[in-house]
Amino acid sequence: MKLLSFLLLFTAFPLLAQEHFAGIGTSQRVGIVNAGINPAELANLETTLDITVFAVSVKASSNKVGFSDLLENSTNLKDRLFEGDGASSLSFDGEIYGPSVAFKYLRWGFAVSTKAYAKLDVVDVDNNLGDALTASVINSFFVGSATINNNYNQRLSGTSWGEVALSTAGTLYEDSRHKFNAGGSFKLLFPGSYANFGADKFSGTINNNLGTVTLTNTNANLNIAYSGNLGDDFTKFGDYAKSLYGKLNGVAVDLGVNYRLKDNDGEHYKLNLGLAIRNIGGMTFKSANNSATDYVLNIQPGESLNLNQFQSNSSLSDVEQTLIASGFLNKNAKQKTDFKVKLPTIFSGYADVKIVPSFYVTLFTQQSLKGNNDNDQVISRNVVALTPRYALKNYEILLPFSHNELSGITGGLGFRAYGFYIGSGSIITALASDSKHADAYLGYSFKLD
């Protein structure tokens, strides 16, 4: 099934894992990226003006596929992807900051930032079902069957959107030892493209007779939704880049607080704490060419659906029409051309602690406040990270170590020189072992007094 071939995009991103901007998001050089994690940090700007020229972060993770598989041929990747029992999940996404500016006035900080997102996700796809839909199985000479009975929603999902954020933060209290800040961001959302295939409470039997693969005795609730370029084909990464910004049609809010225990010199800190809730809101995909429909798939014993015919399908609309033509698909609700998609509401918290002069350790956590199985939900993964850092005024060296709920532990390396930074949250473990993560980030900003 060509629809599943988008999973193989990972072969084109050998250095893509963990939270975005691993370690740099809690850097002592406060700027737009820090405000993206906690808008209250804007009150800690050191200079009057901070201009971000660009910042890019990409990441990929899986509970099945290792780093070595990403570098090898696609046949090996397909074999590994749905290997063994259980379910497979993968995630690829990128964040791109465009020109953005932050400035400080008295005890207040302000920012206007631009940002674009692109995400591809596979959520809990049953290995037997995924294996049956890949060409490697259909081309095999195997005779056998497998029974599937799942009580959760399996998803293939792709989303792209842009945002313009208006942020502000103020100092609520400050003395020689303590500083308390609060801030928020109001984000204008520009939905680009969307695609979702959900199979909830899927039960059925897959039969393989010398490469002829069929599905029988099956029941499932299906959601098929698509919008923009991803309605035609969401296996091509270029289609995401073409539709990062659509028309304004959504809003979201970030809220955060920050506390600093100052050092004896009054310029540095012994402790920097932050708490934030981000992405409270959603966006509406609205177009006459959109489609979002709930179906019931029902195949009685003695009847069968030939899965080989999906090999030529490269879009959700193709899959939808093939299923409708089979006669086994019935609408459960009226088709919609306008539908709302919820952003992944996230709680994040961090503590940056001074151990000795110029040496700090940061503990960071990011936890999703919503589940990933709802069809109208953009997906997020939980992360806990520990980052030792050697920090001078204009230079930093970072060693982020993280645990991602999808792919386990990774370790990386990052550098900052003035406003230029580059790094990865997983490069060490990716090279030293068969890590299931890969990521990279790069950015540049400059300050004016």
Side-chain angles (χ1 to χ4, degrees), residues 34-69:
N34 304 67
I37 292 177
N38 184 354
E41 286 285 356
L42 286 171
N44 294 324
L45 286 169
E46 297 175 352
T47 57
T48 303
L49 193 64
D50 186 285
I51 298 174
T52 294
V53 180
F54 73 95
V56 179
S57 176
V58 288
K59 62 178 182 175
S61 55
S62 167
N63 67 338
K64 294 285 186 179
V65 179
F67 185 79
S68 62
D69 297 302

PDB file of all heavy atoms in Angstrom, residues 34-69:
ATOM      1  N   ASN A  34      13.347  30.222  23.872  1.00  0.00           N
ATOM      2  CA  ASN A  34      12.975  30.086  25.287  1.00  0.00           C
ATOM      3  C   ASN A  34      11.518  30.457  25.493  1.00  0.00           C
ATOM      4  O   ASN A  34      10.779  29.778  26.219  1.00  0.00           O
ATOM      5  CB  ASN A  34      13.848  30.972  26.159  1.00  0.00           C
ATOM      6  CG  ASN A  34      15.324  30.700  25.996  1.00  0.00           C
ATOM      7  OD1 ASN A  34      15.885  30.956  24.943  1.00  0.00           O
ATOM      8  ND2 ASN A  34      15.963  30.178  27.038  1.00  0.00           N
ATOM      9  N   ALA A  35      11.084  31.547  24.865  1.00  0.00           N
ATOM     10  CA  ALA A  35       9.692  31.994  25.003  1.00  0.00           C
ATOM     11  C   ALA A  35       8.733  30.987  24.402  1.00  0.00           C
ATOM     12  O   ALA A  35       7.574  30.903  24.817  1.00  0.00           O
ATOM     13  CB  ALA A  35       9.512  33.357  24.349  1.00  0.00           C
ATOM     14  N   GLY A  36       9.196  30.195  23.403  1.00  0.00           N
ATOM     15  CA  GLY A  36       8.350  29.154  22.838  1.00  0.00           C
ATOM     16  C   GLY A  36       8.059  28.046  23.826  1.00  0.00           C
ATOM     17  O   GLY A  36       7.028  27.376  23.740  1.00  0.00           O
ATOM     18  N   ILE A  37       8.956  27.832  24.777  1.00  0.00           N
ATOM     19  CA  ILE A  37       8.740  26.844  25.834  1.00  0.00           C
ATOM     20  C   ILE A  37       7.992  27.453  27.006  1.00  0.00           C
ATOM     21  O   ILE A  37       7.121  26.825  27.609  1.00  0.00           O
ATOM     22  CB  ILE A  37      10.090  26.258  26.288  1.00  0.00           C
ATOM     23  CG1 ILE A  37      10.695  25.410  25.167  1.00  0.00           C
ATOM     24  CG2 ILE A  37       9.941  25.415  27.553  1.00  0.00           C
ATOM     25  CD1 ILE A  37      12.050  24.851  25.477  1.00  0.00           C
ATOM     26  N   ASN A  38       8.315  28.705  27.341  1.00  0.00           N
ATOM     27  CA  ASN A  38       7.660  29.394  28.453  1.00  0.00           C
ATOM     28  C   ASN A  38       7.673  30.888  28.184  1.00  0.00           C
ATOM     29  O   ASN A  38       8.724  31.535  28.264  1.00  0.00           O
ATOM     30  CB  ASN A  38       8.381  29.097  29.773  1.00  0.00           C
ATOM     31  CG  ASN A  38       7.672  29.704  30.971  1.00  0.00           C
ATOM     32  OD1 ASN A  38       6.702  30.439  30.841  1.00  0.00           O
ATOM     33  ND2 ASN A  38       8.165  29.398  32.157  1.00  0.00           N
ATOM     34  N   PRO A  39       6.521  31.501  27.853  1.00  0.00           N
ATOM     35  CA  PRO A  39       6.504  32.932  27.531  1.00  0.00           C
ATOM     36  C   PRO A  39       6.937  33.818  28.689  1.00  0.00           C
ATOM     37  O   PRO A  39       7.357  34.963  28.463  1.00  0.00           O
ATOM     38  CB  PRO A  39       5.040  33.189  27.146  1.00  0.00           C
ATOM     39  CG  PRO A  39       4.269  32.058  27.748  1.00  0.00           C
ATOM     40  CD  PRO A  39       5.186  30.884  27.737  1.00  0.00           C
ATOM     41  N   ALA A  40       6.881  33.321  29.940  1.00  0.00           N
ATOM     42  CA  ALA A  40       7.305  34.127  31.084  1.00  0.00           C
ATOM     43  C   ALA A  40       8.792  34.459  31.036  1.00  0.00           C
ATOM     44  O   ALA A  40       9.251  35.408  31.680  1.00  0.00           O
ATOM     45  CB  ALA A  40       6.972  33.405  32.387  1.00  0.00           C
ATOM     46  N   GLU A  41       9.585  33.687  30.267  1.00  0.00           N
ATOM     47  CA  GLU A  41      11.023  33.945  30.160  1.00  0.00           C
ATOM     48  C   GLU A  41      11.330  35.269  29.471  1.00  0.00           C
ATOM     49  O   GLU A  41      12.442  35.795  29.583  1.00  0.00           O
ATOM     50  CB  GLU A  41      11.709  32.801  29.413  1.00  0.00           C
ATOM     51  CG  GLU A  41      11.853  31.516  30.206  1.00  0.00           C
ATOM     52  CD  GLU A  41      12.952  31.594  31.257  1.00  0.00           C
ATOM     53  OE1 GLU A  41      13.660  32.616  31.317  1.00  0.00           O
ATOM     54  OE2 GLU A  41      13.092  30.621  32.033  1.00  0.00           O
ATOM     55  N   LEU A  42      10.370  35.834  28.744  1.00  0.00           N
ATOM     56  CA  LEU A  42      10.613  37.116  28.072  1.00  0.00           C
ATOM     57  C   LEU A  42      10.977  38.224  29.052  1.00  0.00           C
ATOM     58  O   LEU A  42      11.682  39.168  28.694  1.00  0.00           O
ATOM     59  CB  LEU A  42       9.384  37.523  27.253  1.00  0.00           C
ATOM     60  CG  LEU A  42       9.146  36.744  25.959  1.00  0.00           C
ATOM     61  CD1 LEU A  42       7.795  37.106  25.365  1.00  0.00           C
ATOM     62  CD2 LEU A  42      10.264  37.009  24.956  1.00  0.00           C
ATOM     63  N   ALA A  43      10.506  38.124  30.290  1.00  0.00           N
ATOM     64  CA  ALA A  43      10.854  39.136  31.296  1.00  0.00           C
ATOM     65  C   ALA A  43      12.314  39.033  31.714  1.00  0.00           C
ATOM     66  O   ALA A  43      12.815  39.913  32.426  1.00  0.00           O
ATOM     67  CB  ALA A  43       9.938  39.005  32.512  1.00  0.00           C
ATOM     68  N   ASN A  44      13.016  37.977  31.276  1.00  0.00           N
ATOM     69  CA  ASN A  44      14.433  37.795  31.616  1.00  0.00           C
ATOM     70  C   ASN A  44      15.368  38.204  30.482  1.00  0.00           C
ATOM     71  O   ASN A  44      16.564  37.916  30.532  1.00  0.00           O
ATOM     72  CB  ASN A  44      14.695  36.333  31.986  1.00  0.00           C
ATOM     73  CG  ASN A  44      13.980  35.918  33.256  1.00  0.00           C
ATOM     74  OD1 ASN A  44      13.854  36.699  34.195  1.00  0.00           O
ATOM     75  ND2 ASN A  44      13.497  34.681  33.288  1.00  0.00           N
ATOM     76  N   LEU A  45      14.843  38.857  29.440  1.00  0.00           N
ATOM     77  CA  LEU A  45      15.700  39.332  28.367  1.00  0.00           C
ATOM     78  C   LEU A  45      16.800  40.228  28.925  1.00  0.00           C
ATOM     79  O   LEU A  45      16.556  41.087  29.766  1.00  0.00           O
ATOM     80  CB  LEU A  45      14.882  40.112  27.337  1.00  0.00           C
ATOM     81  CG  LEU A  45      13.977  39.310  26.404  1.00  0.00           C
ATOM     82  CD1 LEU A  45      13.039  40.242  25.648  1.00  0.00           C
ATOM     83  CD2 LEU A  45      14.809  38.491  25.420  1.00  0.00           C
ATOM     84  N   GLU A  46      18.028  40.017  28.425  1.00  0.00           N
ATOM     85  CA  GLU A  46      19.175  40.764  28.951  1.00  0.00           C
ATOM     86  C   GLU A  46      19.417  42.076  28.217  1.00  0.00           C
ATOM     87  O   GLU A  46      20.042  42.990  28.755  1.00  0.00           O
ATOM     88  CB  GLU A  46      20.433  39.896  28.859  1.00  0.00           C
ATOM     89  CG  GLU A  46      20.354  38.624  29.702  1.00  0.00           C
ATOM     90  CD  GLU A  46      21.568  37.738  29.495  1.00  0.00           C
ATOM     91  OE1 GLU A  46      22.378  38.050  28.590  1.00  0.00           O
ATOM     92  OE2 GLU A  46      21.708  36.745  30.229  1.00  0.00           O
ATOM     93  N   THR A  47      18.970  42.175  26.971  1.00  0.00           N
ATOM     94  CA  THR A  47      19.179  43.380  26.186  1.00  0.00           C
ATOM     95  C   THR A  47      17.849  43.923  25.691  1.00  0.00           C
ATOM     96  O   THR A  47      16.812  43.261  25.781  1.00  0.00           O
ATOM     97  CB  THR A  47      20.097  43.103  24.989  1.00  0.00           C
ATOM     98  OG1 THR A  47      19.531  42.061  24.196  1.00  0.00           O
ATOM     99  CG2 THR A  47      21.482  42.679  25.460  1.00  0.00           C
ATOM    100  N   THR A  48      17.886  45.105  25.135  1.00  0.00           N
ATOM    101  CA  THR A  48      16.655  45.759  24.703  1.00  0.00           C
ATOM    102  C   THR A  48      15.975  45.016  23.568  1.00  0.00           C
ATOM    103  O   THR A  48      14.750  44.906  23.526  1.00  0.00           O
ATOM    104  CB  THR A  48      16.965  47.201  24.255  1.00  0.00           C
ATOM    105  OG1 THR A  48      17.591  47.898  25.333  1.00  0.00           O
ATOM    106  CG2 THR A  48      15.692  47.926  23.860  1.00  0.00           C
ATOM    107  N   LEU A  49      16.788  44.478  22.643  1.00  0.00           N
ATOM    108  CA  LEU A  49      16.230  43.872  21.443  1.00  0.00           C
ATOM    109  C   LEU A  49      16.936  42.565  21.129  1.00  0.00           C
ATOM    110  O   LEU A  49      18.168  42.486  21.176  1.00  0.00           O
ATOM    111  CB  LEU A  49      16.394  44.844  20.266  1.00  0.00           C
ATOM    112  CG  LEU A  49      15.622  44.560  18.982  1.00  0.00           C
ATOM    113  CD1 LEU A  49      14.120  44.633  19.227  1.00  0.00           C
ATOM    114  CD2 LEU A  49      16.042  45.554  17.903  1.00  0.00           C
ATOM    115  N   ASP A  50      16.159  41.521  20.791  1.00  0.00           N
ATOM    116  CA  ASP A  50      16.700  40.228  20.382  1.00  0.00           C
ATOM    117  C   ASP A  50      15.980  39.801  19.112  1.00  0.00           C
ATOM    118  O   ASP A  50      14.752  39.641  19.115  1.00  0.00           O
ATOM    119  CB  ASP A  50      16.513  39.184  21.477  1.00  0.00           C
ATOM    120  CG  ASP A  50      17.204  37.869  21.144  1.00  0.00           C
ATOM    121  OD1 ASP A  50      16.688  37.123  20.295  1.00  0.00           O
ATOM    122  OD2 ASP A  50      18.255  37.600  21.743  1.00  0.00           O
ATOM    123  N   ILE A  51      16.727  39.639  18.040  1.00  0.00           N
ATOM    124  CA  ILE A  51      16.133  39.317  16.741  1.00  0.00           C
ATOM    125  C   ILE A  51      16.554  37.916  16.324  1.00  0.00           C
ATOM    126  O   ILE A  51      17.746  37.613  16.221  1.00  0.00           O
ATOM    127  CB  ILE A  51      16.575  40.328  15.669  1.00  0.00           C
ATOM    128  CG1 ILE A  51      16.096  41.732  16.051  1.00  0.00           C
ATOM    129  CG2 ILE A  51      16.015  39.939  14.296  1.00  0.00           C
ATOM    130  CD1 ILE A  51      16.607  42.824  15.136  1.00  0.00           C
ATOM    131  N   THR A  52      15.575  37.054  16.107  1.00  0.00           N
ATOM    132  CA  THR A  52      15.825  35.706  15.592  1.00  0.00           C
ATOM    133  C   THR A  52      15.745  35.743  14.079  1.00  0.00           C
ATOM    134  O   THR A  52      14.717  36.126  13.510  1.00  0.00           O
ATOM    135  CB  THR A  52      14.809  34.707  16.157  1.00  0.00           C
ATOM    136  OG1 THR A  52      15.010  34.571  17.564  1.00  0.00           O
ATOM    137  CG2 THR A  52      14.960  33.347  15.501  1.00  0.00           C
ATOM    138  N   VAL A  53      16.822  35.343  13.434  1.00  0.00           N
ATOM    139  CA  VAL A  53      16.850  35.289  11.977  1.00  0.00           C
ATOM    140  C   VAL A  53      16.180  34.015  11.493  1.00  0.00           C
ATOM    141  O   VAL A  53      15.337  34.029  10.598  1.00  0.00           O
ATOM    142  CB  VAL A  53      18.297  35.378  11.463  1.00  0.00           C
ATOM    143  CG1 VAL A  53      18.326  35.310   9.939  1.00  0.00           C
ATOM    144  CG2 VAL A  53      18.964  36.663  11.947  1.00  0.00           C
ATOM    145  N   PHE A  54      16.557  32.882  12.101  1.00  0.00           N
ATOM    146  CA  PHE A  54      15.918  31.606  11.793  1.00  0.00           C
ATOM    147  C   PHE A  54      16.253  30.618  12.903  1.00  0.00           C
ATOM    148  O   PHE A  54      17.224  30.777  13.646  1.00  0.00           O
ATOM    149  CB  PHE A  54      16.391  31.041  10.443  1.00  0.00           C
ATOM    150  CG  PHE A  54      17.799  30.508  10.490  1.00  0.00           C
ATOM    151  CD1 PHE A  54      18.047  29.165  10.724  1.00  0.00           C
ATOM    152  CD2 PHE A  54      18.878  31.356  10.307  1.00  0.00           C
ATOM    153  CE1 PHE A  54      19.333  28.669  10.782  1.00  0.00           C
ATOM    154  CE2 PHE A  54      20.178  30.871  10.351  1.00  0.00           C
ATOM    155  CZ  PHE A  54      20.413  29.534  10.599  1.00  0.00           C
ATOM    156  N   ALA A  55      15.458  29.574  13.007  1.00  0.00           N
ATOM    157  CA  ALA A  55      15.722  28.446  13.903  1.00  0.00           C
ATOM    158  C   ALA A  55      14.963  27.243  13.362  1.00  0.00           C
ATOM    159  O   ALA A  55      13.768  27.350  13.070  1.00  0.00           O
ATOM    160  CB  ALA A  55      15.295  28.755  15.335  1.00  0.00           C
ATOM    161  N   VAL A  56      15.658  26.132  13.209  1.00  0.00           N
ATOM    162  CA  VAL A  56      15.058  24.922  12.629  1.00  0.00           C
ATOM    163  C   VAL A  56      15.365  23.736  13.528  1.00  0.00           C
ATOM    164  O   VAL A  56      16.496  23.554  13.984  1.00  0.00           O
ATOM    165  CB  VAL A  56      15.612  24.641  11.220  1.00  0.00           C
ATOM    166  CG1 VAL A  56      14.990  23.375  10.640  1.00  0.00           C
ATOM    167  CG2 VAL A  56      15.359  25.825  10.301  1.00  0.00           C
ATOM    168  N   SER A  57      14.349  22.925  13.800  1.00  0.00           N
ATOM    169  CA  SER A  57      14.533  21.697  14.568  1.00  0.00           C
ATOM    170  C   SER A  57      13.713  20.595  13.929  1.00  0.00           C
ATOM    171  O   SER A  57      12.534  20.784  13.611  1.00  0.00           O
ATOM    172  CB  SER A  57      14.095  21.898  16.022  1.00  0.00           C
ATOM    173  OG  SER A  57      14.180  20.685  16.751  1.00  0.00           O
ATOM    174  N   VAL A  58      14.336  19.434  13.689  1.00  0.00           N
ATOM    175  CA  VAL A  58      13.630  18.280  13.133  1.00  0.00           C
ATOM    176  C   VAL A  58      13.921  17.065  13.996  1.00  0.00           C
ATOM    177  O   VAL A  58      14.996  16.944  14.592  1.00  0.00           O
ATOM    178  CB  VAL A  58      14.046  17.986  11.681  1.00  0.00           C
ATOM    179  CG1 VAL A  58      13.494  19.027  10.737  1.00  0.00           C
ATOM    180  CG2 VAL A  58      15.561  17.895  11.541  1.00  0.00           C
ATOM    181  N   LYS A  59      12.960  16.171  14.101  1.00  0.00           N
ATOM    182  CA  LYS A  59      13.150  14.981  14.927  1.00  0.00           C
ATOM    183  C   LYS A  59      12.345  13.814  14.377  1.00  0.00           C
ATOM    184  O   LYS A  59      11.320  13.990  13.716  1.00  0.00           O
ATOM    185  CB  LYS A  59      12.749  15.257  16.376  1.00  0.00           C
ATOM    186  CG  LYS A  59      11.290  15.614  16.563  1.00  0.00           C
ATOM    187  CD  LYS A  59      10.945  15.819  18.044  1.00  0.00           C
ATOM    188  CE  LYS A  59       9.465  16.124  18.227  1.00  0.00           C
ATOM    189  NZ  LYS A  59       9.083  16.218  19.646  1.00  0.00           N
ATOM    190  N   ALA A  60      12.832  12.609  14.644  1.00  0.00           N
ATOM    191  CA  ALA A  60      12.148  11.382  14.258  1.00  0.00           C
ATOM    192  C   ALA A  60      12.329  10.355  15.359  1.00  0.00           C
ATOM    193  O   ALA A  60      13.387  10.298  15.993  1.00  0.00           O
ATOM    194  CB  ALA A  60      12.697  10.841  12.942  1.00  0.00           C
ATOM    195  N   SER A  61      11.308   9.543  15.609  1.00  0.00           N
ATOM    196  CA  SER A  61      11.406   8.525  16.649  1.00  0.00           C
ATOM    197  C   SER A  61      10.457   7.377  16.335  1.00  0.00           C
ATOM    198  O   SER A  61       9.488   7.532  15.600  1.00  0.00           O
ATOM    199  CB  SER A  61      11.090   9.114  18.032  1.00  0.00           C
ATOM    200  OG  SER A  61       9.831   9.740  18.036  1.00  0.00           O
ATOM    201  N   SER A  62      10.767   6.215  16.914  1.00  0.00           N
ATOM    202  CA  SER A  62       9.997   5.004  16.650  1.00  0.00           C
ATOM    203  C   SER A  62      10.146   4.052  17.826  1.00  0.00           C
ATOM    204  O   SER A  62      11.131   4.104  18.553  1.00  0.00           O
ATOM    205  CB  SER A  62      10.503   4.331  15.368  1.00  0.00           C
ATOM    206  OG  SER A  62       9.985   3.029  15.244  1.00  0.00           O
ATOM    207  N   ASN A  63       9.159   3.189  18.006  1.00  0.00           N
ATOM    208  CA  ASN A  63       9.289   2.141  19.019  1.00  0.00           C
ATOM    209  C   ASN A  63       9.796   0.831  18.416  1.00  0.00           C
ATOM    210  O   ASN A  63       9.975  -0.157  19.121  1.00  0.00           O
ATOM    211  CB  ASN A  63       7.951   1.897  19.731  1.00  0.00           C
ATOM    212  CG  ASN A  63       6.901   1.294  18.802  1.00  0.00           C
ATOM    213  OD1 ASN A  63       6.988   1.418  17.576  1.00  0.00           O
ATOM    214  ND2 ASN A  63       5.893   0.659  19.384  1.00  0.00           N
ATOM    215  N   LYS A  64      10.051   0.837  17.092  1.00  0.00           N
ATOM    216  CA  LYS A  64      10.473  -0.393  16.417  1.00  0.00           C
ATOM    217  C   LYS A  64      11.756  -0.228  15.618  1.00  0.00           C
ATOM    218  O   LYS A  64      12.635  -1.081  15.654  1.00  0.00           O
ATOM    219  CB  LYS A  64       9.356  -0.870  15.463  1.00  0.00           C
ATOM    220  CG  LYS A  64       8.072  -1.318  16.152  1.00  0.00           C
ATOM    221  CD  LYS A  64       8.232  -2.679  16.795  1.00  0.00           C
ATOM    222  CE  LYS A  64       6.903  -3.177  17.362  1.00  0.00           C
ATOM    223  NZ  LYS A  64       7.031  -4.510  17.963  1.00  0.00           N
ATOM    224  N   VAL A  65      11.855   0.839  14.853  1.00  0.00           N
ATOM    225  CA  VAL A  65      12.920   1.000  13.876  1.00  0.00           C
ATOM    226  C   VAL A  65      14.133   1.666  14.513  1.00  0.00           C
ATOM    227  O   VAL A  65      14.028   2.729  15.119  1.00  0.00           O
ATOM    228  CB  VAL A  65      12.437   1.837  12.675  1.00  0.00           C
ATOM    229  CG1 VAL A  65      13.567   2.027  11.674  1.00  0.00           C
ATOM    230  CG2 VAL A  65      11.248   1.153  12.015  1.00  0.00           C
ATOM    231  N   GLY A  66      15.308   1.051  14.372  1.00  0.00           N
ATOM    232  CA  GLY A  66      16.535   1.584  14.915  1.00  0.00           C
ATOM    233  C   GLY A  66      17.243   2.497  13.935  1.00  0.00           C
ATOM    234  O   GLY A  66      16.939   2.545  12.739  1.00  0.00           O
ATOM    235  N   PHE A  67      18.244   3.227  14.451  1.00  0.00           N
ATOM    236  CA  PHE A  67      19.003   4.168  13.642  1.00  0.00           C
ATOM    237  C   PHE A  67      19.673   3.484  12.456  1.00  0.00           C
ATOM    238  O   PHE A  67      19.701   4.014  11.347  1.00  0.00           O
ATOM    239  CB  PHE A  67      20.056   4.861  14.518  1.00  0.00           C
ATOM    240  CG  PHE A  67      20.827   5.936  13.816  1.00  0.00           C
ATOM    241  CD1 PHE A  67      20.277   7.187  13.629  1.00  0.00           C
ATOM    242  CD2 PHE A  67      22.118   5.698  13.358  1.00  0.00           C
ATOM    243  CE1 PHE A  67      20.988   8.183  12.986  1.00  0.00           C
ATOM    244  CE2 PHE A  67      22.836   6.691  12.714  1.00  0.00           C
ATOM    245  CZ  PHE A  67      22.273   7.941  12.531  1.00  0.00           C
ATOM    246  N   SER A  68      20.192   2.279  12.663  1.00  0.00           N
ATOM    247  CA  SER A  68      20.862   1.567  11.571  1.00  0.00           C
ATOM    248  C   SER A  68      19.888   1.242  10.450  1.00  0.00           C
ATOM    249  O   SER A  68      20.248   1.256   9.267  1.00  0.00           O
ATOM    250  CB  SER A  68      21.521   0.293  12.082  1.00  0.00           C
ATOM    251  OG  SER A  68      20.545  -0.589  12.616  1.00  0.00           O
ATOM    252  N   ASP A  69      18.624   0.950  10.796  1.00  0.00           N
ATOM    253  CA  ASP A  69      17.621   0.660   9.775  1.00  0.00           C
ATOM    254  C   ASP A  69      17.323   1.888   8.925  1.00  0.00           C
ATOM    255  O   ASP A  69      17.025   1.784   7.736  1.00  0.00           O
ATOM    256  CB  ASP A  69      16.331   0.154  10.416  1.00  0.00           C
ATOM    257  CG  ASP A  69      16.536  -1.149  11.164  1.00  0.00           C
ATOM    258  OD1 ASP A  69      16.980  -2.113  10.527  1.00  0.00           O
ATOM    259  OD2 ASP A  69      16.289  -1.184  12.379  1.00  0.00           O
TER     260      ASP A  69
END
